[in-house]
Amino acid sequence: MSKFFIGAYAAAPSLSGWDPSAEGSFLKSVLELDGVAGLEVPFAGKLHKDDESWFLRQLPEQADFIVTTIPGTMARLGSDPGFGLASTSSAGRKAAIDFIREALNAAERLNESLARAAVVAVEIHSAPWADGQRASASALADSLKEISDWQWNGTQIVLEHCDAFVPGQVPSKGFLPLHVEAETVHRVNESSGRPMGIAVNWGRSVIEQRSPDAALEQINFLRGSDLLGGFVLSGCAGVDTRYGAAWGDVHVPPAPPTSLCARPDVESPGDLDVLESGSLLTVDRMEECLRAAGPASGEDFRGIKVAAPPHATVEQRVAVISKTLELARAAERQGGQGRTGK
């Protein structure tokens, strides 16, 4: 059974203010959950928005990590719309390449703090907005070719697909379409001999297509192209919820499945109220996507990234991750039984 990397920063107490005691308790509890491989760590110039040195001291020796550059990418896009690896602006593309180099250096700091190769992947993105002439496949290819020549120090480089720009639709990220990213990555992989994969985030795929079948379709496409580098369970909603507006990329937790509340493999069903009834991410959809993706391997990963309810306690923040993880593992077991015919 797969272990899951947790994008715990999306539910962290530090979102509401810096309290090292609360943040430390939260991280320790998340990392102790059964089925956790480690953390997806946000990078926006450092490995923790409040205190990187403190953060590195919290990490257990046995955990592994993924570094995601999406927080820093979005922050830089706020001040420079031409920033990105796919940017047709030479200055914007250079700034993005320099940023990825910073992320790899940060990953190496994390490795050094644990005295081993603990970072298994660094996630990069095909910013900027792909409206008009702002982004192109050729610019992305040039960036990926340059990155492929660097020393990766044992980590994988994974392009995370975000919602693509769709004319007439307000995007959350609005980057390049998946088929463009896939064609570009495939060409660079062939020329460099150093394979990069592409990761799918369930919520971002659904936001893009406004369809709950979108992530499954994209997983199947990438599996068929031998490019699937990871799959992250993160929900969204087509209606306003306590997490944000409809179709926002706000990491909505999954819907609480009443049919599972009495099942022995889903613990503490009374705590399922930390989940979100308006979420489009159901256990059945988890199951079909995890079945299509297959078990995690050394070449790709499985992840969970969900937000906590507004004004949540540390215990509630841990609970929303714990319940999502329990449902994901139950869904994977069901999917595995379907594959083997048991």
Side-chain angles (χ1 to χ4, degrees):
M1 179 172 289
S2 302
K3 288 194 171 185
F4 291 81
F5 287 88
I6 308 299
Y9 70 96
S14 55
L15 293 172
S16 302
W18 179 228
D19 180 342
S21 176
E23 189 86 349
S25 175
F26 169 76
L27 290 174
K28 182 176 185 294
S29 296
V30 169
L31 285 164
E32 288 176 348
L33 293 173
D34 190 29
V36 169
L39 300 177
E40 181 193 47
V41 180
F43 181 74
K46 52 187 179 179
L47 292 169
H48 191 282
K49 69 184 185 68
D50 293 296
D51 191 333
E52 178 177 302
S53 296
W54 174 92
F55 174 72
L56 292 175
R57 293 194 298 271
Q58 312 308 307
L59 304 182
E61 293 184 1
Q62 72 275 15
D64 288 327
F65 301 89
I66 293 167
V67 173
T68 175
T69 61
I70 194 62
T73 295
M74 298 309 295
R76 283 158 176 77
L77 280 170
S79 58
D80 177 10
F83 176 91
L85 295 175
S87 180
T88 54
S89 159
S90 58
R93 194 171 72 81
K94 180 182 183 302
I97 289 173
D98 291 344
F99 175 61
I100 301 306
R101 191 183 294 276
E102 290 178 26
L104 281 167
N105 289 339
E108 192 57 24
R109 292 197 299 273
L110 197 160
N111 287 339
E112 290 171 357
S113 74
L114 293 176
R116 62 183 177 86
V119 178
V120 301
V122 172
E123 292 177 294
I124 63 177
H125 305 84
S126 67
W129 276 24
D131 59 334
Q133 303 301 311
R134 198 174 300 184
S136 73
S138 61
L140 178 62
D142 288 344
S143 297
L144 296 185
K145 287 173 185 175
E146 184 169 343
I147 292 169
S148 70
D149 289 336
W150 298 348
Q151 290 296 321
W152 296 354
N153 298 319
T155 191
Q156 294 288 317
I157 301 295
V158 178
L159 181 70
E160 183 189 25
H161 177 65
C162 296
D163 66 291
F165 182 82
V166 177
Q169 178 174 294
V170 177
S172 177
K173 302 296 187 287
F175 297 162
L176 289 173
L178 180 61
H179 73 275
V180 173
E181 293 174 340
E183 290 169 3
T184 305
V185 169
H186 179 70
R187 289 199 309 273
V188 173
N189 286 353
E190 282 194 326
S191 64
S192 70
R194 300 184 69 185
M196 298 181 190
I198 298 178
V200 170
N201 177 298
W202 193 93
R204 290 171 180 161
S205 298
V206 172
I207 289 166
E208 172 187 309
Q209 296 187 22
R210 302 292 199 261
S211 166
D213 296 325
L216 179 61
E217 293 169 0
Q218 293 184 346
I219 289 169
N220 285 330
F221 169 71
L222 291 173
R223 288 280 289 182
S225 305
D226 198 27
L227 287 174
L228 185 65
F231 172 52
V232 178
L233 288 164
S234 185
C236 70
V239 296
D240 294 353
T241 68
R242 54 185 163 166
Y243 298 93
W247 304 117
D249 186 11
V250 290
H251 317 301
V252 178
T258 54
S259 62
L260 288 183
C261 289
R263 276 176 40 174
D265 56 351
V266 179
E267 300 176 3
S268 307
D271 290 337
L272 291 176
D273 58 355
V274 297
L275 304 182
E276 176 52 53
S277 60
S279 178
L280 293 171
L281 180 58
T282 64
V283 171
D284 286 345
R285 287 167 181 153
M286 286 185 182
E287 180 183 327
E288 64 185 8
C289 286
L290 289 168
R291 183 191 302 119
S297 68
E299 301 301 320
D300 66 348
F301 62 84
R302 304 289 172 265
I304 287 170
K305 180 154 55 181
V306 290
H311 314 298
T313 64
V314 170
E315 291 75 17
Q316 288 169 325
R317 294 173 187 278
V318 175
V320 71
I321 294 170
S322 175
K323 297 307 155 188
T324 303
L325 179 61
E326 288 172 11
L327 296 178
R329 300 189 85 202
E332 189 175 42
R333 281 192 289 271
Q334 287 298 105
Q337 291 173 2
R339 285 193 299 271
T340 58
K342 294 180 181 178

